[in-house]
Amino acid sequence: MTRSTTGPAATDPLPSPKERRRLREARELSERQVAAAVGVTAATVRAWETGRASPRGRRRAAYSRLIGCAEPRTAPSRPAEENGSGTMSTVGPDTLPAPDAATPDGPTTDRPAPDGTTLATPTPGGTGPAPKPGSLTAEEAYDDLYGRTAPALTRQVFLLTGHRGLALEAVEHAFRIAWQRWPEVATDRDPAGWVRAASYEYAMSPWHRLRRSHRRTDPLPEDPARRALLDAILGLPPSYRRTLLLHDGVGLGLPETAAETEASTHAAACRLLNARAAVAELLPAPADAADPGTGPAPLREPLAALSLAEEVPAPPAAPVVRARGERVAELWTRAALYFGVVLIGATAFTLHTAPTHYEEPLAPAGRVGGVPPLGGPEKLTPQDLKLQKALKGELAHGPERLVPRIP
């Protein structure tokens, strides 16, 4: 009797780590609750949701059923909406007191997006729907993703850092990495979110402070309102700035924002409210501000207006970025091969010239102290030596030696 080891849990792939966290928080489950139900620790669940590890066997099936990724979605709450960066994200319930999203049942109202397009609330606009991945080649799918997301992403990174050159460099770096890992990015549920996270991480790296050209931000806008808004945003801590831009600028929900910033939902909500409050202190209250008791109002309209008003250099063409990515990958491959050849040569030379047996080294000479001098008669003087020589050369004359007799 044999037992089959295959099953639906072994064949159904799990979603991405960010999607796992979003599904768990959508079901209002904490990490400890999931860990207790699956039979692991909370640190293990955190590792599953950050991509450092992945569940296996029965725990994989239990975790999949618990977060609900194995169940078919029959009735989504809202249709997918394409935001300013080309990211297709679903609008979920928001736990913040301030109203963030328009109701899909009402009339469609157009609002400007950070990339210069016009987004309708229930349906995407401006750039049009993304084509099906199966009908395009890898190069065509990459070029389509680059064309829809690169311009808006450059403006977002500029608002995040205040450097136009760094924004262009970060976006190009992210798309080069995406082309090198295109099989992984193409199968991801949110390819634009993957590229956005990579560009944000590169742009906010603290190592850029060592570069002389990035120690100071670019000149601020001449318009006082836009200058005050950009100055207030750049004055926020990096984590607050990123949370504010993702939620109010890009339009992500609170769980998606928390997952992308690797923070809890409560921490992301606190960062968002504190960032809104800090910016509201330096800016006049908008016309659609929320009630005083519900907290600061969202900054979607001011961020969109600031992004559209600023001049940001256009990113290079997609084939150029792909060619640069392939060139960089080729250079790194050659460098790794050369380093391996040098390492093998050095090892072979060491083995050839090394002695085959151990030779004990000779100890260096040293003065030994504490030893008493040799005893005995003193050294003979020249006169004593002359007399000794004379006595040895003459015969002895005199009486014989007297031997005592014993009576």
Side-chain angles (χ1 to χ4, degrees):
M1 181 177 179
T2 60
R3 182 177 60 181
S4 176
T5 58
T6 61
T11 57
D12 295 339
L14 285 177
S16 62
K18 294 181 181 179
E19 184 68 13
R20 301 173 195 173
R21 179 172 181 172
R22 189 193 68 79
L23 292 174
R24 174 181 62 79
E25 293 181 347
R27 296 202 167 201
E28 299 182 356
L29 296 174
S30 63
E31 294 179 353
R32 294 184 177 180
Q33 293 175 347
V34 175
V38 179
V40 294
T41 61
T44 303
V45 177
R46 192 178 302 110
W48 293 348
E49 294 180 354
T50 54
R52 295 193 300 267
S54 183
R56 298 179 180 178
R58 297 181 179 178
R59 293 176 179 174
R60 181 187 182 94
Y63 179 71
S64 178
R65 291 193 302 268
L66 192 62
I67 63 177
C69 63
E71 300 176 0
R73 300 182 180 180
T74 56
S77 59
R78 295 185 183 181
E81 178 184 1
E82 185 178 7
N83 52 40
S85 64
T87 305
M88 301 298 295
S89 59
T90 57
V91 182
D94 199 341
T95 57
L96 288 177
D100 293 326
T103 57
D105 298 334
T108 61
T109 58
D110 296 343
R111 58 183 178 87
D115 61 345
T117 59
T118 302
L119 296 182
T121 303
T123 58
T127 56
K132 297 181 180 180
S135 61
L136 301 176
T137 62
E139 291 78 5
E140 293 174 350
Y142 177 86
D143 294 350
D144 178 75
L145 176 65
Y146 184 86
R148 290 186 295 108
T149 59
L153 193 56
T154 306
R155 295 181 178 275
Q156 293 172 21
V157 179
F158 168 70
L159 295 183
L160 191 67
T161 60
H163 294 281
R164 295 175 176 84
L166 181 58
L168 196 64
E169 180 182 346
V171 173
E172 184 176 350
H173 172 79
F175 274 98
R176 286 203 307 262
I177 300 299
W179 178 243
Q180 297 174 7
R181 305 178 184 178
W182 183 246
E184 174 188 349
V185 178
T187 56
D188 193 87
R189 292 194 175 186
D190 187 9
W194 194 99
V195 178
R196 180 181 62 243
S199 60
Y200 280 18
E201 290 292 338
Y202 181 85
M204 301 192 68
S205 175
W207 293 103
H208 294 302
R209 300 176 184 175
L210 302 178
R211 303 168 63 177
R212 181 177 300 179
S213 59
H214 294 122
R215 292 179 182 177
R216 296 182 179 179
T217 59
D218 292 349
L220 298 179
E222 298 180 358
D223 187 8
R226 291 190 284 113
R227 175 189 292 268
L229 177 59
L230 185 58
D231 191 17
I233 293 174
L234 296 178
L236 296 174
S239 58
Y240 288 21
R241 198 186 317 159
R242 184 173 182 178
T243 303
L244 178 65
L245 183 62
L246 287 174
H247 191 275
D248 288 354
V250 180
L252 297 183
L254 192 60
E256 291 83 357
T257 303
E260 187 160 332
T261 56
E262 297 183 359
S264 63
T265 307
H266 179 71
C270 293
R271 292 175 182 176
L272 181 60
L273 292 177
N274 292 334
R276 288 176 177 176
V279 175
E281 292 180 358
L282 304 176
L283 299 178
D288 55 347
D291 296 335
T294 60
L299 300 174
R300 290 184 176 178
E301 302 299 336
L303 288 176
L306 177 63
S307 176
L308 293 174
E310 290 300 316
E311 295 182 0
V312 179
V320 176
V321 177
R322 283 193 285 108
R324 291 177 181 176
E326 294 174 357
R327 190 180 306 111
V328 171
E330 183 180 358
L331 292 177
W332 278 108
T333 304
R334 289 184 178 180
L337 291 177
Y338 293 156
F339 178 77
V341 170
V342 172
L343 183 61
I344 294 174
T347 304
F349 178 77
T350 303
L351 294 177
H352 180 71
T353 58
T356 58
H357 61 280
Y358 176 73
E359 297 180 0
E360 185 178 359
L362 298 177
R367 184 180 298 275
V368 179
V371 180
L374 297 177
E378 297 181 359
K379 188 176 182 180
L380 298 178
T381 61
Q383 297 178 358
D384 296 337
L385 292 176
K386 185 177 181 181
L387 178 61
Q388 182 183 16
K389 184 177 180 181
L391 292 176
K392 288 183 178 180
E394 297 180 0
L395 296 177
H397 301 284
E400 298 291 338
R401 184 177 181 181
L402 300 179
V403 179
R405 292 181 179 180
I406 300 176

